Amino acid sequence: MFELERITAGYDRCHPVVRDVSLSLAPGESVGLLGPSGCGKSTLARVAALLHRPDAGRVRVDGRPVEGWRHRAPREQRTAIGVVFQQPRLAADPRLTLHDLIAEPLRATGRREEVPERVARLAGDVGLGGELLGRRPHEVSDGQLQRACLARALTLRPRWLVCDEMTAMLDASTTAALVAVVESYRREEGAGLLAVGHDRVLLERWCDRTADWHEITAAPAPTEAATPRG
């Protein structure tokens, strides 16, 4: 299980943007977190990805409580979670080629020997031709860069995925392609997914169930009730 228990978080302890939020997902389950822009769902996504320490509450990954955050988190927990952000240009080192961007997690964990095969496989999976792998972020489109960022998130075969508005900046065809990649990966690996967004139609079609922000937080929001996928 992946569990967020009574999370309170933000960037000012006096005015948290996330208040007393609880959410859980089972292995292989896909959960959509639906909420309006600015409500705090991206902050919660960063907590789930172990990138932001909450002010209160607890995160459990595979039944084990998280005690450290960012680079202080145990490697086993860090590498169990793959994350894709909304804005790929803010998430990618502009000095790296797309090849090196995808290979970065393997090199950081001392698995350089896996780079050629794994990068080639993932590039094909996300629809990046070999000629694009030698280019840097400023030489490719947002959609191509987001494909590379998704490949990077899958490089270490995570058991949990956090997709924070992954497709918000993409056209319909690229959105469909990337969602298909995530779903193929989940089928093969049995990974759980937390998909964060404000597009109800997309999340309800994509996920096993959706949770509205106002249903899981102490902060009120004028949205509809949680909706299971029919």
Side-chain angles (χ1 to χ4, degrees), residues 7-215:
I7 299 296
T8 293
Y11 306 94
D12 179 346
R13 278 183 171 269
C14 296
H15 301 93
V17 294
V18 176
R19 299 178 184 175
D20 200 23
V21 169
S22 295
L23 185 66
S24 65
L25 58 152
E29 183 183 25
S30 56
V31 176
L33 177 56
L34 181 68
S37 298
C39 70
K41 59 188 186 297
S42 288
T43 299
L44 185 67
R46 290 182 61 81
V47 172
L50 311 189
L51 296 174
H52 185 82
R53 178 188 290 274
D55 299 324
R58 184 175 293 275
V59 179
R60 294 181 184 272
V61 180
D62 298 318
R64 295 180 53 196
V66 173
E67 304 293 347
W69 305 87
R70 298 183 69 85
H71 299 297
R72 293 178 182 267
R75 176 178 290 184
E76 181 181 352
Q77 290 184 330
R78 286 202 319 269
T79 57
I81 304 167
V83 58
V84 188
F85 297 106
Q86 176 180 354
Q87 299 185 55
R89 299 198 182 279
L90 298 181
D93 187 332
R95 300 167 296 180
L96 297 181
T97 64
L98 299 195
H99 178 282
D100 290 339
L101 179 72
I102 299 169
E104 190 177 18
L106 289 171
R107 291 172 174 160
T109 53
R111 297 159 59 180
R112 292 175 178 268
E113 71 281 357
E114 298 179 37
V115 166
E117 179 180 354
R118 188 71 177 142
V119 171
R121 165 73 185 273
L122 285 168
D125 288 346
V126 301
L128 287 176
E131 74 283 359
L132 293 173
L133 294 180
R135 299 183 186 179
R136 289 180 169 79
H138 72 277
E139 299 174 310
V140 298
S141 68
D142 286 345
Q144 290 165 336
L145 185 56
Q146 191 69 307
R147 289 172 189 265
C149 288
L150 175 56
R152 177 181 60 183
L154 302 179
T155 299
L156 298 180
R157 296 184 172 88
R159 297 187 298 279
W160 307 97
L161 291 172
V162 177
C163 295
D164 180 20
E165 301 271 16
M166 178 183 75
T167 63
M169 300 178 64
L170 307 179
D171 60 33
S173 62
T174 305
T175 293
L178 295 194
V179 168
V181 171
V182 170
E183 289 307 289
S184 176
Y185 176 82
R186 292 202 317 110
R187 285 194 300 271
E188 292 177 6
E189 302 289 340
L193 166 69
L194 176 62
V196 178
H198 61 268
D199 186 334
R200 179 179 294 276
V201 173
L202 173 63
L203 291 183
E204 290 185 350
R205 289 180 176 175
W206 184 2
C207 300
D208 297 325
R209 61 184 172 94
T210 61
D212 278 296
W213 182 255
H214 83 285
E215 291 288 323

